[in-house]
Amino acid sequence: EDRLAVAITEKWCEWDSMREQWKREKLEIRNYVYATDTRRTTNAQLPWKNSTTVPKLCQIRDNLYANYTMTMFPSQRKWLVWEANEMDSSSQAKRDAITNYMSWVISQPSFKHEMDKILLDYIDFGNCFATVEWMDERVELPDKTQVGYVGPAIRRINPLNIVMNPAAESFQRSPKIVRSLISLGELKELLQRMSSDENREEYEELWRYLKDLRDNAVQFEGEWKEMEQLYMLDGFSSYREYLKSGMVEVLTFYGDLYSIEDDEFYKNHVITVVDRHKLIGKKPNPSYFGYPPIFHCAWRKKPDNLWGMGPLDNLIGMQYRMDHLENMGADIWDFTAFPVKKIKGMVEEFIWQPGADIYVSEEGDVEIVQPDVNIMQADMKIERLETLMEMMAGAPREAM
């Protein structure tokens, strides 16, 4: 059965490698958004000594986030409307019960917190993913009463932790794999929930195998050449370091899958893989709607690619140009105020400052060398640069 697990792992690696260019572009955007200078951005390749960044991309991102939040969640609580598709569900009693209950659900702090992350994914990546799960956060008090939230909860899926067939007809029809990192304790709880009286012994043996694998990784002093070549997990330097970390990678496949080894077609299945080689769950999708409750939204859709384009993708060149002009102008000012020195002869140590005294011997000489352009050409460039900056500062926000 573990051949099926390896096949799912290979599918994850294939779909993940197909979006390498996309991931590099999103990393560049995040570097510019959180940059405090240009040393960690693509502007670092320019020869300027100054490294000031003009956070225009970050400003646009924050404005989009504020506008989206105000639009999606206005101050009035009656923005949620129930639209029934049958007469029986359109009665006032049902409509009021559903809207009141969902208004309470979305008023929970955890909902707004998760929606904030989804909105930022929508802006930064141009793609956001979410699913829903049942939460039971009740705790028992000394008087035997239970308090805490019980009900559905939205859960954000990191766009870097989900892959799909980008050429599929739609996201709903595309098979998809979700990657999760959990602790060993969470894995044991997961196995206990998946087991029953009939297969409890099988799951206990599986838990012992996964635990022994990690114990061997700690004790073994040789090299795991085969495993290292087969599996490289994101966020870990090697497969052995992953096993020693106490974290467990879980790959969950949703959709249709044909197994060549078994010559069997798994229609609308949920298949769970641990450590990229061990199958721990395989069952038909239990969703009431017949498809996985995972939803995707793209900012700018592409006709032949499910991975959409983000609002900041077109603005990277503008940010690059602004930082380029800012630091070029600062370097011109620095060269003009503090020109390059060429010292020849016997000259004593001195401090380069206004009113400084420089002592030289009779043969000594101090020569001040201007930049490659003369002062007049430098002044003309500075004047043009100032005019350009004034135009950019006074331009309407939409033009920026």
Side-chain angles (χ1 to χ4, degrees), residues 268-287:
N268 195 16
H269 267 59
V270 179
I271 305 174
T272 309
V273 179
V274 169
D275 291 346
R276 298 207 169 185
H277 73 282
K278 200 66 179 175
L279 187 71
I280 67 170
K282 180 182 63 176
K283 62 180 180 180
N285 183 13
S287 174

Side-chain angles (χ1 to χ4, degrees), residues 318-387:
M318 178 203 69
Q319 181 67 60
Y320 181 90
R321 186 65 176 172
M322 291 182 66
D323 290 347
H324 164 67
L325 293 174
E326 174 71 21
N327 293 297
M328 180 184 68
D331 277 8
I332 291 175
W333 278 108
D334 291 346
F335 273 121
T336 304
F338 303 100
V340 178
K341 298 176 296 183
K342 178 182 178 183
I343 302 176
K344 60 182 180 181
M346 202 59 192
V347 183
E348 295 184 6
E349 292 288 338
F350 64 92
I351 300 176
W352 184 257
Q353 65 183 16
D357 296 325
I358 303 175
Y359 298 96
V360 299
S361 62
E362 295 180 358
E363 298 82 10
D365 191 10
V366 177
E367 179 181 352
I368 305 300
V369 181
Q370 294 294 338
D372 294 339
V373 295
N374 56 41
I375 295 296
M376 184 178 298
Q377 292 174 332
D379 289 341
M380 292 175 62
K381 286 189 175 181
I382 293 171
E383 184 178 355
R384 290 198 300 268
L385 181 63
E386 289 177 340
T387 304

Side-chain angles (χ1 to χ4, degrees), residues 191-352:
L191 294 176
Q192 289 176 349
R193 282 191 280 117
M194 297 175 68
S195 64
S196 60
D197 294 337
E198 298 177 355
N199 57 5
R200 191 172 305 279
E201 184 177 349
E202 178 182 350
Y203 272 94
E204 289 177 355
E205 182 181 353
L206 177 61
W207 166 251
R208 286 193 296 270
Y209 165 79
L210 296 173
K211 193 171 181 299
D212 292 343
L213 185 64
R214 282 155 176 77
D215 294 338
N216 295 335
V218 175
Q219 299 173 5
F220 187 68
E221 297 181 356
E223 296 183 358
W224 293 28
K225 292 184 178 180
E226 294 182 0
M227 297 291 268
E228 300 292 353
Q229 293 173 359
L230 285 174
Y231 307 118
M232 253 333 252
L233 278 76
D234 293 338
F236 299 93
S237 58
S238 65
Y239 191 78
R240 185 182 179 191
E241 290 300 321
Y242 154 73
L243 292 175
K244 293 166 61 178
S245 68
M247 302 300 294
V248 181
E249 185 197 61
V250 180
L251 297 178
T252 307
F253 175 90
Y254 299 91
D256 303 336
L257 180 67
Y258 172 69
S259 175
I260 300 178
E261 291 81 4
D262 303 334
D263 191 23
E264 187 171 351
F265 180 65
Y266 299 98
K267 178 70 175 178
N268 195 16
H269 267 59
V270 179
I271 305 174
T272 309
V273 179
V274 169
D275 291 346
R276 298 207 169 185
H277 73 282
K278 200 66 179 175
L279 187 71
I280 67 170
K282 180 182 63 176
K283 62 180 180 180
N285 183 13
S287 174
Y288 172 81
F289 299 100
Y291 57 85
I294 301 176
F295 304 94
H296 166 238
C297 185
W299 189 84
R300 179 177 291 153
K301 296 181 180 180
K302 299 179 181 178
D304 299 317
N305 192 343
L306 293 180
W307 289 103
M309 189 177 180
L312 305 179
D313 291 9
N314 295 126
L315 306 178
I316 281 290
M318 178 203 69
Q319 181 67 60
Y320 181 90
R321 186 65 176 172
M322 291 182 66
D323 290 347
H324 164 67
L325 293 174
E326 174 71 21
N327 293 297
M328 180 184 68
D331 277 8
I332 291 175
W333 278 108
D334 291 346
F335 273 121
T336 304
F338 303 100
V340 178
K341 298 176 296 183
K342 178 182 178 183
I343 302 176
K344 60 182 180 181
M346 202 59 192
V347 183
E348 295 184 6
E349 292 288 338
F350 64 92
I351 300 176
W352 184 257

Side-chain angles (χ1 to χ4, degrees), residues 6 80 84 118 242 392:
V6 175
L80 181 65
I118 294 173
Y242 154 73
M392 294 173 65

Side-chain angles (χ1 to χ4, degrees), residues 22-33 40-43 57 316-317 320:
W22 177 84
K23 289 197 293 185
R24 285 194 294 267
E25 293 173 357
K26 300 309 173 183
L27 177 61
E28 183 181 16
I29 290 175
R30 291 182 68 85
N31 287 341
Y32 272 113
V33 167
R40 295 187 179 181
T41 66
T42 48
N43 278 92
L57 207 66
I316 281 290
Y320 181 90

Side-chain angles (χ1 to χ4, degrees), residues 125-141:
F125 294 95
N127 298 268
C128 61
F129 301 86
T131 185
V132 63
E133 60 184 14
W134 185 263
M135 299 290 294
D136 188 351
E137 298 178 343
R138 290 175 295 181
V139 293
E140 188 172 313
L141 299 179

